[in-house]
Amino acid sequence: MPLNGSKRPGPGAKRRGLMAAVLAAVLPAALVVVVHGASASAPPPPAGWTTVFHDDFDGSAGSAPSSANWQYDLGTSYPGGAGNWGTGEVETDTNSTANVYLDGNGDLAVKPIRDAGGNWTSGRIETTRTDFQPPTGGVLRMEARIQMPDVTGAAAAGYWPAFWSMGAPARAVGATNWPSIGEMDVMENVQGQNTEYGTFHCGVDPGGPCNETTGLGGNTPCVTGGTCQSGFHTYALEWDTSTSPQQLRWYLDGVEFFHVNSDQVDAATWANATNHGYFMILDVAMGGAFPAAFGGGPTAATASGVPMLVDYVTVETEASGSTTPPTTPPTTPTTPPTTPTTPPTTPTTTPSTPPSSPSGSTVDAYSAIPATSYTAQNSTQTETTTDGPPGGTQDVDSIHNGSWLRFDNVDFGSTPARQFYGRVASGAGSGISGLVEVRLDSPTNPVVGSFAIANTGGWQNWETVPANISGVTGVHTLYVTFTSGQPADYVNVHWFDFGH
């Protein structure tokens, strides 16, 4: 979770018998995992790996977690740091065993509680160690087995559980040097969605090479073993310095769903974010910018006292770097993430401009595609723009939740596209924001990449915002879709394109 401003978009449970054999056949050794019950010990490291930290949270019910492993963050900020933890969340964090405790079944519970006056308390703990980083030329893996707070719908409004890490230099100065010192969010969830978000923060705020305060992120649903809320899942991040470029990889239940390469940012930014150790954080925030992007903070309907349960946390290192990332991008989930209302499958508005390409021709994905060159659209308008080339003299405006733009015959070629760039502007009011999403061949197919957008300083104050996407090849009907937790217009689009 970011230390400033808005956070939006912006890793496994083991199987026995045949399933274990199947996983062993298709996953790297470091990722083969086994189903446990509600409580299980951290699995032993694979051959060639070394466990450098673990906590199974064994202890009597109602006791505090190990003070040798964990320390408390108290109140609403670091000493000298930004208020409300820099994110706008509303809880006060305590060291009370009402908020942070062992459940006696081998789990840590982090429980937000609302008092009679409507005030929230919760828990936020950090590892005492701040030296987690890969050995030279090696790999570090942070993993936790977690059941998110088992609450959904209106009762989940404002819930924001997370397992994340921050660069060690943050601790000495109350994180006032964020985001330059780096942040790696292994797991975040919001509003009881069946969705896990993974994000890397770096550079400067706002903007910069990591598109702060959103960061570089991806997301995926929990599709096996119950939803993210109803069952335990493993959330892991691998920080790999054995590859060139170096890479961060996110996993849900042993399956990679997102990665960031070091060459996606400049060398100085990467070094500033990674040339030191990290510490890990477990917390359940209430309210703040991330929940606000999906409907808002806690309400009278929000359930009090639903804990995040953590079965174990483990950190492992691999010195030789034998674990290599998949050579093929992970398959896009067949079930789309739980998000606000998705756009309709059939166009409802006649396009106001000609199709984006004549029949039989293709559109180059790697050249600027004017937003007004759509083949069809839903619930948008066009207007004259003050922005310059390459998008032409008009932009698409009046974009809100459920709007979409369709572009036919977009050719991504044989080398996978992994970046999406949108030229966008917003004069949306306070608390109004949303997502700009890429989908292929249907406006209801899974999102292959997205970025979040809020007020940029005006409806003609343009920014080029990057996002990672799953590897895309071939010719597709491209849908740019728009999702928001509010009905208001929140973005104008001038042009977009893709990159490798």
Side-chain angles (χ1 to χ4, degrees):
M1 70 178 49
L3 271 291
N4 290 279
S6 58
K7 168 65 175 77
R8 299 167 307 270
K14 299 188 177 181
R15 297 285 186 270
R16 295 184 177 90
L18 177 61
M19 183 56 73
V22 171
L23 285 173
V26 299
L27 295 177
L31 304 184
V32 176
V33 286
V34 178
V35 164
H36 297 291
S39 177
S41 297
W49 289 72
T50 300
T51 298
V52 297
F53 174 90
H54 80 277
D55 197 328
D56 287 322
F57 301 112
D58 293 329
S60 59
S63 61
S66 166
S67 60
N69 288 341
W70 304 94
Q71 63 185 47
Y72 293 92
D73 293 334
L74 300 176
T76 59
S77 72
Y78 289 117
N84 301 99
W85 300 112
T87 66
E89 57 205 73
V90 300
E91 84 288 347
T92 298
D93 291 304
T94 82
N95 58 4
S96 168
T97 51
N99 295 120
V100 182
Y101 59 91
L102 305 182
D103 68 359
N105 294 315
D107 302 318
L108 171 75
V110 182
K111 179 189 289 187
I113 299 172
R114 180 177 53 215
D115 66 18
N119 302 303
W120 287 90
T121 58
S122 190
R124 170 172 162 148
I125 59 174
E126 302 179 352
T127 54
T128 57
R129 290 177 55 177
T130 62
D131 60 347
F132 299 121
Q133 64 185 126
T136 302
V139 187
L140 176 132
R141 179 178 177 87
M142 296 179 282
E143 178 177 298
R145 185 168 183 263
I146 296 173
Q147 180 175 356
M148 297 178 188
D150 191 7
V151 61
T152 58
Y159 270 79
W160 184 1
F163 166 46
W164 53 299
S165 64
M166 192 154 51
R171 181 164 287 177
V173 295
T176 54
N177 47 7
W178 185 92
S180 66
I181 45 75
E183 177 181 325
M184 302 174 189
D185 300 332
V186 185
M187 179 281 290
E188 291 184 282
N189 175 259
V190 68
Q191 308 291 69
Q193 298 177 4
N194 182 38
T195 306
E196 116 100 312
Y197 294 91
T199 310
F200 175 56
H201 294 277
C202 72
V204 297
D205 176 35
C210 273
N211 184 35
E212 299 303 344
T213 52
T214 299
L216 303 178
N219 64 81
T220 190
C222 296
V223 294
T224 60
T227 66
C228 300
Q229 288 71 34
S230 66
F232 280 86
H233 298 267
T234 54
Y235 303 92
L237 180 146
E238 286 187 352
W239 175 0
D240 190 347
T241 65
S242 72
T243 63
S244 182
Q246 296 182 18
Q247 190 172 72
L248 302 175
R249 297 186 292 271
W250 279 259
Y251 299 87
L252 170 61
D253 291 329
V255 178
E256 181 187 344
F257 69 91
F258 175 62
H259 65 261
V260 171
N261 292 331
S262 59
D263 60 2
Q264 291 176 226
V265 302
D266 60 273
T269 295
W270 183 262
N272 289 338
T274 62
N275 64 356
H276 45 67
Y278 270 66
F279 56 93
M280 297 182 294
I281 306 169
L282 293 163
D283 77 311
V284 179
M286 295 302 297
F290 197 180
F294 291 94
T299 69
T302 302
S304 172
V306 185
M308 175 175 73
L309 299 177
V310 186
D311 185 11
Y312 64 75
V313 174
T314 186
V315 180
E316 298 167 347
T317 58
E318 196 274 338
S320 66
S322 61
T323 298
T324 56
T327 56
T328 303
T331 303
T332 303
T334 56
T335 304
T338 302
T339 56
T341 305
T342 53
T345 57
T346 304
T348 59
T349 307
T350 302
S352 59
T353 60
S356 57
S357 62
S359 176
S361 66
T362 59
V363 176
D364 182 8
Y366 306 105
S367 296
I369 301 173
T372 55
S373 67
Y374 54 73
T375 308
Q377 55 86 27
N378 178 56
S379 191
T380 70
Q381 298 182 20
T382 61
E383 65 177 2
T384 301
T385 182
T386 61
D387 198 26
T393 59
Q394 291 192 309
D395 64 73
V396 174
D397 70 332
S398 301
I399 296 173
H400 49 271
N401 183 55
S403 298
W404 52 258
L405 305 172
R406 180 184 124 202
F407 303 84
D408 289 350
N409 302 322
V410 178
D411 189 357
F412 292 88
S414 58
T415 301
R418 299 190 183 278
Q419 287 282 304
F420 168 59
Y421 303 90
R423 184 70 170 171
V424 293
S426 176
S430 176
I432 304 299
S433 61
L435 298 175
V436 178
E437 306 163 322
V438 177
R439 304 175 193 250
L440 302 178
D441 304 318
S442 168
T444 58
N445 274 347
V447 175
V448 298
S450 67
F451 64 81
I453 189 71
N455 191 299
T456 63
W459 293 110
Q460 291 295 315
N461 190 21
W462 294 94
E463 296 182 0
T464 303
V465 180
N468 296 98
I469 62 172
S470 303
V472 179
T473 60
V475 178
H476 294 274
T477 299
L478 175 71
Y479 286 85
V480 181
T481 61
F482 303 90
T483 300
S484 174
Q486 305 91 18
D489 295 350
Y490 65 92
V491 67
N492 293 349
V493 181
H494 189 199
W495 55 262
F496 59 91
D497 68 1
F498 297 85
H500 300 297

